[in-house]
Every structure is written in structure tokens, then in C-alpha cells.
Amino acid sequence: MRALLDYSDAELLGLAQTIYDVPSLAAWRAAELKALRRCAFASPVLEIGCGSGRFTSLLLSRVDWGVDLNPREIKLCAGRNGLYGRLSCMDARRLKFANGVFATVFANCVVEHIPDLARVLGECRRVLRPGGVLIATVPLIEMNRHLLLRGAWYARLRAQQLQHRHLLAEDAWVAALCKAGFTTVQTTPYLSAQMCELWDRVDGPLCMGAGPLTLGRAYRFGLRLLPIRWRCKLNRQWQDYFISALRNDPPATPCAILIQARAGD
């Protein structure tokens, strides 16, 4: 299998499209893959908010322990052909592990969704061994300046739709991590303002509706009815739409960052 470092931007986007039908989500995930592929995930690895395991299956070949609050997601992870050594339904604010068990805690677009940020970060720090690293991706408050519609009401609506409980500036994330006991915090921007704008032009309308009756669900249903060659052609058109923004590296005005926070000795 080729290493992700060898993938071009277009190939990363194509890879994300293999598991994400919604084009805006595939583009965002491709940007995360581009940033995360350079990280070193020392074992043992704990992933919090592992979800269905789809994204992690593109990035890693092995995760020692995955936890998620949703038991349905844990069941999906269990079918990932040995990707996860062990799985547990667990609240990231109350991790049932001893102190200093893991070398890496991984959280991809997770901690911004969980109430009580200080407690989550404190638990991540507690279960890391000395010198261990929290690897996380988080959106920034800057994204609100690059949405489809300008206005505080729309930013609040999108935060509600996306279940964003903590949209902070970069320095506020660093401060929160230092307060939680991390001694070194390195941040890397990975999502440009251009990508955020293109993403929300697609994702905002697809979120219209309620419950199962959203345009996004209708799009996914319709996509699955298309012949494979038409679906591939449509995916290539979405690649053309997003590719210039994905190549915007490093972004001058980041809307999301990769965090690597190290626990002290």
C-alpha cells in the first residue's frame, strides 16, 4: 500500500471521496489527511470519538484502543478488519484508564463538540505517559468570517447544525491546552479561508431541512442511484471545484489547525 505522503492533493481528495458521499465533507477530510499524514502516532494509540472508524482507516493501520459515546458507532468500528485492537463505549470526559497509559491520544474534529472542554483536555493529558502527544484537529472561530452568508445569525445556525460547542481562536486553544497541563503545544494551519468558503457554499445548503429530510441525505440517495461511471464523473467535477483550495498550503488565513500537544516528563 502506498504511503499517504506519496499521494497528490487530487489523490487525497479522491481517497476521501471513496468513503464520503457528501462532497463538502470529503474536501474537509482531505485537508485533514493532508495535515495529519506527517504526524508520528507512537504506540499505544488511544482514539477518542472514533466514530465509525472510516476516516482513521484512511490514515492509520492500527489503533490500540478506540472509544466513542455512541454504541452504534462502536459496532461499526468493530467491523474494520482489525484496525482497532480494543473498543469501548466511553465518555471522553471520564476515561476509564489509569494514568500514563498511552503514547498518543488522537482526536480528529472531536473535542470542539464535547461539553466541558477543560475536563476533556485534562483527561487526555492524564492518560498520556510522560512525553506522550495529543494529536487533534479543530476548527477555529475564524471560519465564521468565511461562511456562505455573513451575519451572526448564520454563524449560530451553522454552529448548531455542526454541533460546534467550542469555536476558539488559535491562541485560546493553546491557552486551554497549557492550562490542562501540556508543556509544549505546536499548531499547524491546514484549512484555508478559500476552502472554508467553498466548503460552506456546498455544505450549508446540503444541511437544509430537518432530521432525515435534509438535502444532504437526498443527495446521497440520488448519488447511489447513478451508474458508477456517472458517479465517478461527478466526483471528478467536485475534485476540480475544491482542488485549488486544497493546494493552498500553508493557508494565510487558517480556519482550522492541527494540534500536537506534548505531555511533560
Side-chain angles (χ1 to χ4, degrees), residues 22 24-25 158 162 198-208:
V22 176
S24 50
L25 182 56
R158 293 298 280 136
L162 299 166
L198 294 177
W199 163 80
D200 198 51
R201 287 178 194 173
V202 178
D203 200 75
L206 288 179
C207 285
M208 291 179 62

Side-chain angles (χ1 to χ4, degrees), residues 39-247:
C39 295
F41 291 81
S43 242
V45 177
L46 166 68
E47 182 180 7
I48 63 170
C50 57
S52 66
R54 291 185 301 173
F55 178 82
T56 305
S57 70
L58 300 179
L59 180 68
L60 301 174
S61 59
R62 179 72 173 177
V63 175
D64 298 277
W65 210 309
V67 302
D68 198 283
L69 196 57
N70 189 334
R72 289 174 296 178
E73 300 283 37
I74 291 295
K75 288 181 180 179
L76 290 172
C77 280
R80 291 285 165 196
N81 297 322
L83 172 62
Y84 292 92
R86 299 186 70 177
L87 290 159
S88 296
C89 190
M90 195 181 301
D91 190 334
R93 296 167 295 183
R94 291 179 288 274
L95 295 173
K96 298 175 183 178
F97 302 109
N99 296 348
V101 175
F102 297 99
T104 305
V105 173
F106 177 43
N108 185 65
C109 270
V110 170
V111 293
E112 71 272 16
H113 299 292
I114 305 175
D116 198 349
L117 179 62
R119 190 166 185 173
V120 176
L121 297 180
E123 281 292 271
C124 291
R125 169 62 186 88
R126 182 184 64 78
V127 300
L128 279 169
R129 62 182 52 167
V133 179
L134 167 64
I135 298 175
T137 57
V138 294
L140 299 176
I141 190 67
E142 176 67 22
M143 71 177 289
N144 286 345
R145 297 181 59 245
H146 305 283
L147 298 177
L148 174 65
L149 299 176
R150 303 295 186 261
W153 69 270
Y154 184 67
R156 288 194 298 270
L157 173 64
R158 293 298 280 136
Q160 182 180 12
Q161 290 172 334
L162 299 166
Q163 299 180 33
H164 283 164
R165 296 177 180 270
H166 311 290
L167 274 181
L168 309 178
E170 182 176 349
D171 57 352
W173 278 109
V174 173
L177 287 156
C178 290
K179 188 174 181 179
F182 291 93
T183 56
T184 305
V185 181
Q186 177 185 347
T187 62
T188 305
Y190 72 83
L191 194 85
S192 67
Q194 180 191 10
M195 176 62 90
C196 189
E197 290 170 359
L198 294 177
W199 163 80
D200 198 51
R201 287 178 194 173
V202 178
D203 200 75
L206 288 179
C207 285
M208 291 179 62
L213 303 177
T214 63
L215 289 180
R217 286 180 180 267
Y219 176 87
R220 288 195 295 268
F221 178 76
L223 190 66
R224 289 163 189 166
L225 297 179
L226 292 177
I228 292 177
R229 63 185 182 88
W230 291 8
R231 198 184 313 167
C232 291
K233 183 177 180 179
L234 182 59
N235 280 343
R236 286 194 296 270
Q237 290 177 336
W238 283 121
Q239 288 177 23
D240 292 340
Y241 179 78
F242 285 112
I243 193 63
S244 65
L246 187 59
R247 288 173 176 158

